[in-house]
Amino acid sequence: MKKHLLRSSKFLSLVLRHDPAAIGLQLDPRGWAEVDDLLAKLAATGHPLSPEELGEIVATNEKKRFVIEGGRIRAQQGHSIDIELGLEPVVPPEVLFHGSAESNRASILQNGLHAAARQHVHLSHEADTARQVGSRHGRPMIFLVASGAMHSAGHAFYLSGNGVWLCDRVPPEFIRVEA
């Protein structure tokens, strides 16, 4: 992705996941904004994007963070603001993965995984993806989540449109460290 589009993609993440008010944007209860409104507000606040550039960001974002449908755009997941994504609970695979920094190991094994500032805990069906996520915060540590057992115990799981598994929390008894 071109450097200026990468910067714009990061700014879009901020706006659509955490702070739409940064540009005076109003999201609907499910996190959607009109594309034309977004583009106008981006331009008015010194972050102009053409419709083609926005389309390129959506199409080429490796994490598929954004989706455009019917003239509207939203982030797929990762919100720290109150958004109802409208996802239905689904049965997860038996094991999912979570990547974090090695420095978080003791806390995670003792307290489990919590959404913290976000709405959901993010899990991956691939260890490599979890490793990439964990490496953003230091030396990566991969945690295996017994998602099948969690589901059997009554915990709900959701699958976002970009393949990220979501849940409210992961209690410590369902977590172990990748060997």
Side-chain angles (χ1 to χ4, degrees), residues 41-100:
K41 292 190 184 302
L42 284 169
T45 56
H47 303 277
L49 274 179
S50 70
E52 295 77 23
E53 289 171 322
L54 180 63
E56 185 175 343
I57 288 170
V58 172
T60 62
N61 183 277
E62 70 179 38
K63 294 185 179 183
K64 304 294 180 205
R65 289 190 198 271
F66 314 108
V67 62
I68 294 178
E69 290 179 5
R72 300 179 309 157
I73 185 170
R74 79 170 179 182
Q76 298 263 25
Q77 94 292 320
H79 299 85
S80 61
I81 55 177
D82 191 25
I83 295 297
E84 176 51 56
L85 292 173
L87 300 174
E88 295 294 325
V90 293
V91 178
E94 285 301 308
V95 176
L96 290 169
F97 302 91
H98 180 81
S100 189

Side-chain angles (χ1 to χ4, degrees), residues 35-48:
V35 168
D36 291 342
D37 191 29
L38 171 69
L39 293 174
K41 292 190 184 302
L42 284 169
T45 56
H47 303 277

